Amino acid sequence: MNKVQTYSLFTDFDIDLFKAGKHFRLYEKLGAHLIEVDGVKGVYFAVWAPTARTVSVVGDFNYWIQGEHQLEVRWDSSGIWEGFIPNVEKGATYKYKIQSDNGGIITEKADPFAFYCEKPPHTASVVWDLDYKWKDSKWMKNRKDHNSLDKPFSVYEVHLGSWKRHGEENRFLTYLEFAEDLVQYVKETGFTHVEFMPVMEYPYDPSWGYQLVGYFAPTSRFGNPQEFMVLVDKLHQAGIGVILDWVPSHFPDDAHGLGFFDGSNLYEHPDRRKGYHPDWKSLVFNYGRNEVRSFLISNAIFWLQHYHVDSLRVDAVASMLYLDYSREEGQWEPNEFGGRENLDTISFLKEFNEAVYSNFEGVQTIAEESTSFPMVSRPTFVGGLGFGMKWMMGWMHDTLEYFKKETVYRKYHQNELTFSMTYAFTENFMLPLSHDEVVYGKHSIAGRMPGDEWQKFANLRLLYSYMFTHPGSKLLFMGCEFGQSAEWNFQESLDWHLLQYPLHEGVKKTITALNKLYRTEPALHEKQFSPEGFEWINYSDYQNAVMSFIRKGNNPKDNVIVICNFTQVVREDYRIGIPHKGKLQEIFNSDDVIYGGSGVISPDKITIESSPYDGRDFSVAITLPPLSVVAFKIV
């Protein structure tokens, strides 16, 4: 057996924090770290395996032989095994060979804290560093000016494996290629942020990245950690924020992963009713175990610190919050108060959000939470979970249900659209049209639209225009911005060839114009989460399937008047109430010919009349284009 030198990066204070669940930078201690001891370079290894009898590091430097480099367990009952192995270099591959004290089971595990992993289907960890010279100081210095809740959040959701692929071999782009192609495209279309579906290492492509194994490693499918840093860096230099999907809800039971790590239920809850997810056939973290909380919160902090990430979108929050989620009666146990809420999860999520917001200025957390759980995006000090935003799943569902209806029937369903405003300000809502809406037989967003070809695209432009003028931040899945016809296929590139056709190009131009409108009109973002930022003009004209409202900013001069016509009938001399005198100037019209519309455009300026209407002292008569949203300002 080769000698492993006794060495530790842990102080007694570190151990106390770890045991208490309060150590939020564990990645600085656990894992594999390139260091120098007594003038000799090598790697310090440390792993948490409290029920292990022995732990060996096996790798390409010792021919994967168990026992050649055996770590020592700490004396402090922390369950941490550690030691320094000289002459191991960056790029070495390794795993932990763990013999359990629980029946002598031997497992071979990837490092939970590895910074880099072998490219799947290979499963070893790779010794690596995080050295990189960032060039985004301007963005980081002013980040709060981009990511505050009163700033525009128009998010382009991307699956890196299928945004674009190369040639007949259908190969992935690399992080460095994304740093050119994707950055240029997002800047061109005007999105303020990119959200990456999980980039942490995952073994199984059909999971889309939501079954993680390497929580601290960007997937090696597209390059190494520094190359992913280049991508983030380039986005920031282009003025584009970066959001990562983060998955603390569950993890796969792959043999090299976190499951049954040291021969015991170390990371997963030992009670299968709480520790197994029936929908995804995966394991659920034990949120009540202090060391697991330290692992997860450290992971969140890691991406924000070392990869300059601006926001974490937390996946499947509802599955974490409820003990009976996807479980039949008898398959779950109520909490100590007889309720269905997972109290450990609630406590964990609050602590996670407090740690993020107290450590980083100008970042956000976003919850994908599909129920009516209260105060998800309210501060913890008033009893909320502490997220910055929450996905508005009700809006998404109701809106898509409405839009798939033939226009002749829409007058009977206008309440499906107006209902969202009854709860729009109970949370800081993000309006999502995400990847989940374009798979499993749901059709693409464009494919849901009724009517002939022209009407389908007019409806699509109408949908997006309604979305961008509705209160809340926005998220659009890749391909939706140019009217992808087919459902999303994670194994293939988007159908970029469609942009040669005018109607598809027109959708892209519409999104580009809407992004500009959202960014440049303060009324559309300054009070996007406040009831002070919205006022109905008329929501009850269901006979014509028309509704109108005012979006408000800090300055009344910035107010934007929005009128939506949900049928293909041109409404001439359509009158709406206006709050004061002046002239009405059109600033956006989704029926413009440049977008593929019919070109029913308002005159340069329309005089507001002293004629009461809609409960207001003034009004104006305009021509409403078919299947359109028109936006005006009073000048």
Side-chain angles (χ1 to χ4, degrees), residues 65-183:
I65 299 173
Q66 180 182 0
E68 284 290 295
H69 291 100
Q70 190 166 302
L71 301 179
E72 295 181 3
V73 67
R74 290 182 60 90
W75 55 271
D76 50 23
S77 73
S78 62
I80 294 170
W81 297 73
E82 60 184 352
F84 174 74
I85 304 178
N87 302 316
V88 177
E89 298 179 343
K90 178 178 176 177
T93 55
Y94 70 100
K95 285 185 178 179
Y96 295 115
K97 198 87 168 185
I98 301 172
Q99 183 178 17
S100 173
D101 209 25
N102 180 16
I105 298 170
I106 297 177
T107 58
E108 192 171 282
K109 294 291 187 178
D111 188 347
F113 285 84
F115 297 146
Y116 192 27
C117 301
E118 281 190 306
K119 188 175 180 179
H122 302 292
T123 57
S125 303
V126 181
V127 174
W128 209 256
D129 60 38
L130 298 171
D131 295 344
Y132 179 75
K133 189 174 182 180
W134 288 88
K135 302 177 181 67
D136 64 346
S137 57
K138 181 180 178 182
W139 172 274
M140 296 299 286
K141 182 180 178 182
N142 302 304
R143 181 159 65 173
K144 63 181 182 298
D145 297 327
H146 298 279
N147 296 332
S148 300
L149 294 177
D150 60 353
K151 295 295 190 291
F153 253 80
S154 177
V155 182
Y156 187 55
E157 186 189 23
V158 173
H159 177 260
L160 286 171
S162 57
W163 181 73
K164 186 182 289 185
R165 293 197 179 188
H166 263 309
E168 293 182 3
E169 69 273 24
N170 198 34
R171 77 159 175 84
F172 294 136
L173 267 64
T174 66
Y175 290 128
L176 297 181
E177 289 170 326
F178 283 116
E180 299 299 327
D181 294 3
L182 179 64
V183 172

Side-chain angles (χ1 to χ4, degrees), residues 364-382:
Q364 297 292 345
T365 61
I366 305 166
E368 188 230 353
E369 203 285 309
S370 54
T371 74
S372 57
F373 192 93
M375 302 178 71
V376 171
S377 58
R378 294 293 179 257
T380 58
F381 61 79
V382 298

Side-chain angles (χ1 to χ4, degrees), residues 91 127 137 262 378 388 390 421 430 459 512 540 542 544 570 612:
V127 174
S137 57
D262 62 349
R378 294 293 179 257
K390 170 182 168 172
M421 294 312 305
M430 174 175 280
N459 268 303
T512 302
S540 60
Y542 61 90
N544 290 314
V570 177

